[in-house]
Amino acid sequence: MTAANMQDRVKNVVIIGGGTAGWMTAAGLASMLGQTGLNITLIESEAIGIVGVGEATLPHIRLFNETIGVNEAEFMAATSATFKLGIEFCDWGRLGDSYIHPFGEFGLANEGVAFHHYWRCMQDDAETAPDIGALDEYSLPILACKMAKFQPPSEDPRSVLSTYRYAYQFDALQYAPFMRDHAEKRGVTRIEGKVTHVDQDSGTGDILSVTMDNGQSISGDLFIDCTGFFGLLIEKTLETGYDEWSKWLPCDRAVAVPCEHEGTLLPYTRATADKAGWRWRIPLQHRTGNGHVYSSGFTSDDAATDSLLANLEGKALADPRQLRFVTGKRRKLWNRNCIAIGLSGGFLEPLESTSIYLIQEGVTKLLEMFPQTSNFTVHAEEYNRRMDLEFERIRDFLILHYHATERDDSAFWNYMRTMDIPDSLAEKIELFKSSGRVASYNHGLFLMPSWVAVYIGQRVMPQRYDWRADRLDKGHIKKHLSGLRNHMHQAAMSMQDHASYIQNNNMARRPVTAAS
Amino acid sequence: MTHIAPLRTIVLAGSGVRLALCAALIARHCLSEATKIIVLNCADADIVDADMILRPDMQRLHNDLQIQVDALQSRAKARAVYAVDCAYDGGRIALPFGDYGMARDGAAFHHHWSKGKGLGQPYDLDQYSPSLAIHHGKSQLPLAIAAQIGIGFGLQVDRAGYAQLLLAKARDLGAKIVSAAQVTVRKGSADYPYSITMDSAQFEADFFIDVSRSGQWAGSIGLAETGWQDHSLYLPYSDQPQGIEASHLYSAIQRFIDMLPTRGGGTAERREYNRLAQEQSERIADMVCLLGNDDKSISQRPALRRKIEVFQTCGRIPVEDYEVFSPAEWLTILLTKCGNPLHHDRLADRLSEQDLLIWLDQLRGKIGQLKRQLESI
């Protein structure tokens, strides 16, 4: 770098907001760039509550944690976390239906033909169908979910125990303090207080500084907006604009309440479709997180709350908490010298646990595109392009859950079932219906097993299968499937009990407190 | 119950390596009791009496077809290659098949190298490429040794010998190979979409694949451009940069096999094939355009323009959904065209300047040592 460039070097990053997004961003930047002369300041106010977004996560969080040096056992204990091998969807295709979207494969591909084609081929034959069973029976993580088992995957690719991945379910209100502790140990400066004024450059519109309620002014080169739906910098200041997707994802409210944990500690999240949305249940070590995501156009707040409370599995531990949102994303997640991460950037509702994933991607892509100097137009364009792709591809996958339904028991489901969907999704569904094939993309979160799980789970059955499956003798396939099913069942049985694994590996609850 | 009606007859027409590759792969994956594969081996117009380069991804084809190294050596005169030479701006550059150096601290190697340059280390990036070290070396590695040293390589093969090897494989797998002096293809009946006349014989096909470079038969059945339309496929052809011809064809056929239609079906599969094929062709066209150094054409290619702008700014190389060329190949040409990026990746600053210079020195030393060892073989 030249001396002139050194002068222009990005040295100060200011993060506004200290919830999940704020502290994940701070921890990510400090861990990866703290030693490069980057000063990171986070401003938050204890007077402003945090949404505590996302208690359930996707397997990608493990890479994030590993990259920034988080110790798994400490993290599990501090956030009262449990392991997660998938998401169960109840009542989505039809009332009474249930399937699990697993974090892993179905069976084994053979001769370049994905397993589900062989399964479909056998299921399609009246003679072989009774012995074949459901597709679920060929997924180790699904079997483990049903048996409440867990152990880390094997690193031996030949082992059936290597065919899954895992994520976590944790207390979001404990996660932010844990990340704060991690970030502060790596040099992040926390400032308590509210931002009352944002000072912009009169020419460029860039943010120069923020002023606190005590009059203190904090200047920076880059500002990260983690102020949640409020969008203090990205919207209130920079007026970036928002692309609404509520015509496809009309749920706009949520009500959440924790309850006492009862029964077996399950390694999966449950999403149960309701009359005008769906209810979540997330088992943690010390309690169960519950919520109801719904569309205010199709039900009232009171009715949604009643439905949530009526379906709790234990005694409520707090009053229900309401949340309002609009599904969609900012037109630019990186605008001028401000980057919106978390709810300030957009919200796609928590159906597939993508909220924390999108925060993580926001941080990771920022690290990849982190500018050396304040001339970052190109960085911003590339960052926005890649984040837009993430949002749009997740959006399509979420819409599939609502649209691929036979439910006609409420106005909400009638709307979802019959609405127009994005062309990109319509083409994917048509391809699967036609031949059981899944459209392939290199970028994007959800891969073939995820799409297959939801399609089959919600009764989108392919009219045909890959006819190369017929090249194998049906007796041979039947024998192979039977052996595989038994092998998977035995492997799942051999795994450890989920709760015992947590206890035996020093992961039992020890939350980080203010004093610690 | 689902009614699956496999294609009864798939007919391929063409010549040379293109036909042989397509025939072997289709026979390997599509032939069954219900499905015949007929390969019309036409006049030798497409055969060029020369060697051809196979990129490293072609190893998957050889594994799939169980073609052994011995056969490649003895029948196709195969030898290992680690880079391809390309014409660029009046000169030539070598695009390596393997990476430069190794990533560290979250930053690709060239960012560390770029930073080292700024600190005064004098060596060019190619000094840190094992692939280029071997490519520029004096000796040719036997395939058995190449397979052992853990650096990705392609093959240089005799075109005619390779075609014969693949065609023999197609025959062994059960495809019917027929030499044909003159072939005409016409739209057929409701039962069979195509009627094919070959010399004096005539037969029907459910699906027709035009493997010729020029689309010799595609026009007569309404296929103006490469792609899949109705019940026929016109496979793409690219010859630049060196080595792309076989890879492009291989991935197109593989993609078709992945989307293999049933009789009467295939609308959604066709659309997906054409979408993916188009994406891949765009990436190849991006590379050709960059090698051609035609600024006007570059300005009309958004993905390529983005690659150039982002690289010039921060040294990163944006990855599209379907990349054909490796990051090392893009890096080589971008560095040649654009020079050093304005800035290196900030993540490279995690390594101290002193440690960086020591590390770069060690890496270069190891590559030099490897080169000397291989030259002594």
Side-chain angles (χ1 to χ4, degrees), chain A residues 88-234:
Chain A
E88 183 184 30
F89 290 89
C90 300
D91 296 339
W92 284 82
R94 281 183 196 169
L95 281 167
D97 278 1
S98 163
Y99 70 93
I100 291 178
H101 165 197
F103 297 156
E105 307 289 330
F106 288 104
L108 298 166
N110 181 52
E111 295 282 317
V113 179
F115 176 81
H116 67 275
H117 291 285
Y118 292 101
W119 172 80
R120 182 77 179 104
C121 158
M122 299 300 281
Q123 197 227 23
D124 201 45
D125 185 324
E127 274 186 35
T128 54
D131 301 325
I132 295 309
L135 187 61
D136 286 8
E137 295 176 42
Y138 301 91
S139 162
L140 186 57
I142 292 178
L143 295 172
C145 282
K146 290 179 175 172
M147 295 179 196
K149 300 276 194 173
F150 177 80
Q151 74 183 42
S154 164
E155 289 178 5
D156 178 357
R158 293 166 303 177
S159 167
V160 72
L161 289 165
S162 70
T163 60
Y164 63 94
R165 301 184 296 156
Y166 70 90
Y168 310 105
Q169 304 166 124
F170 56 69
D171 186 334
L173 297 176
Q174 294 171 351
Y175 183 60
F178 177 80
M179 279 292 156
R180 172 181 164 184
D181 186 55
H182 191 85
E184 287 186 314
K185 281 177 181 159
R186 285 156 182 78
V188 173
T189 304
R190 177 187 180 274
I191 297 178
E192 167 66 31
K194 283 185 187 171
V195 172
T196 55
H197 178 72
V198 180
D199 187 24
Q200 289 176 267
D201 184 290
S202 56
T204 65
D206 282 0
I207 297 169
L208 298 174
S209 63
V210 293
T211 307
M212 315 280 299
D213 47 4
N214 64 1
Q216 186 184 1
S217 174
I218 314 287
S219 58
D221 304 309
L222 266 185
F223 289 81
I224 318 285
D225 187 339
C226 298
T227 61
F229 296 123
F230 189 65
L232 173 69
L233 305 181
I234 197 76

Side-chain angles (χ1 to χ4, degrees), chain B residues 112-178:
Chain B
H112 295 286
W113 167 80
S114 178
K115 185 179 173 188
K117 270 275 191 192
L119 295 171
Q121 77 84 18
Y123 301 105
D124 287 340
L125 186 61
D126 62 6
Q127 296 285 307
Y128 299 90
S129 164
S131 303
L132 290 177
I134 303 171
H135 180 70
H136 294 313
K138 291 172 193 157
S139 62
Q140 286 186 2
L141 288 183
L143 282 187
I145 303 269
Q148 283 172 16
I149 60 173
I151 299 168
F153 63 95
L155 297 173
Q156 182 166 342
V157 293
D158 168 66
R159 214 177 163 96
Y162 188 56
Q164 284 166 13
L165 179 62
L166 291 172
L167 210 55
K169 182 55 79 172
R171 187 180 292 112
D172 291 349
L173 286 165
K176 185 177 176 186
I177 317 282
V178 185

Side-chain angles (χ1 to χ4, degrees), chain A residues 92 245-251 275-277 295 298 349 398-405 407 410-421:
Chain A
W92 284 82
W245 291 335
S246 47
K247 68 174 174 178
W248 295 310
L249 296 168
C251 288
K275 288 267 185 193
S295 169
F298 292 92
E349 73 160 80
L398 296 182
I399 295 170
L400 172 67
H401 294 66
Y402 286 105
H403 184 66
T405 184
R407 285 188 64 162
S410 70
F412 175 80
W413 288 107
N414 285 335
Y415 171 78
M416 300 308 291
R417 196 185 67 251
T418 57
M419 70 180 175
D420 286 334
I421 56 175

Side-chain angles (χ1 to χ4, degrees), chain A residues 439-441, chain B residues 270-279 322:
Chain A
S440 71
Y441 293 86
Chain B
R270 191 161 59 228
R271 186 170 51 221
E272 177 70 354
Y273 171 92
N274 286 332
R275 179 181 73 85
L276 295 172
Q278 177 66 25
E279 290 277 353
Y322 309 96

Side-chain angles (χ1 to χ4, degrees), chain B residues 275-288:
Chain B
R275 179 181 73 85
L276 295 172
Q278 177 66 25
E279 290 277 353
Q280 185 179 37
S281 294
E282 291 295 329
R283 298 294 76 75
I284 294 171
D286 281 349
M287 179 59 93
V288 170

